[in-house]
């Protein structure tokens, strides 16, 4: 993966770095899970690369549709967030 810092990625760069097909990327956009920063020029945040890679791997490994992979990644992120909050609460007691 390249080092883009805070620079935004074009659609072509994002697809290359995420290692997914353009049709799959557009499907994530169509379902509203992947939201380009600039819709007209399709600029993406580098932060979205990891979540798209995770979803795509889940979809390939378990033969899932895009929306299922996206939902699983969202749920895993939420669980991680809640576990972090719980750990902070336990440490503050």
């Amino acid at each position: 993966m390249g080092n883009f810092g805070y620079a935004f990625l074009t659609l072509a760069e994002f697809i290359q770095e995420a290692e997914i097909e353009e049709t799959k990327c557009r499907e994530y956009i169509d379902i509203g899970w992947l939201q380009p920063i600039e819709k007209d020029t399709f600029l993406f945040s580098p932060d979205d690369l990891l979540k798209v890679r995770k979803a795509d791997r889940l979809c390939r490994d378990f033969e899932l549709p895009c929306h299922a992979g996206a939902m699983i990644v969202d749920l895993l992120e939420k669980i991680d967030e809640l576990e972090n909050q719980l750990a902070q609460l336990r440490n503050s007691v």
Side-chain angles (χ1 to χ4, degrees):
M1 183 167 77
N3 183 3
F4 291 97
Y6 292 106
F8 298 123
L9 301 159
T10 65
L11 179 61
E13 292 168 334
F14 188 84
I15 289 167
Q16 181 179 2
E17 290 296 311
E19 299 174 352
I20 62 170
E21 297 174 7
E22 183 175 344
T23 55
K24 189 82 125 179
C25 185
R26 289 186 182 274
E27 192 169 344
Y28 287 126
I29 294 167
D30 290 345
I31 64 172
W33 185 67
L34 181 61
Q35 298 179 353
I37 294 165
E38 293 283 334
K39 288 194 179 221
D40 296 337
T41 56
F42 286 102
L43 291 179
F44 298 91
S45 166
D47 296 336
D48 290 328
L49 285 172
L50 184 59
K51 82 177 197 176
V52 167
R53 281 182 168 178
K54 286 179 185 178
D56 190 54
R57 178 148 186 211
L58 283 166
C59 291
R60 284 185 284 118
D61 288 353
F62 297 104
E63 299 178 8
L64 300 171
C66 283
H67 64 276
M71 187 184 317
I72 292 169
V73 170
D74 285 347
L75 289 171
L76 290 172
E77 287 178 351
K78 187 64 173 174
I79 289 169
D80 189 45
E81 180 183 319
L82 291 170
E83 286 176 341
N84 288 336
Q85 289 176 1
L86 182 59
Q88 288 176 353
L89 287 171
R90 286 182 176 156
N91 289 335
S92 67
V93 175

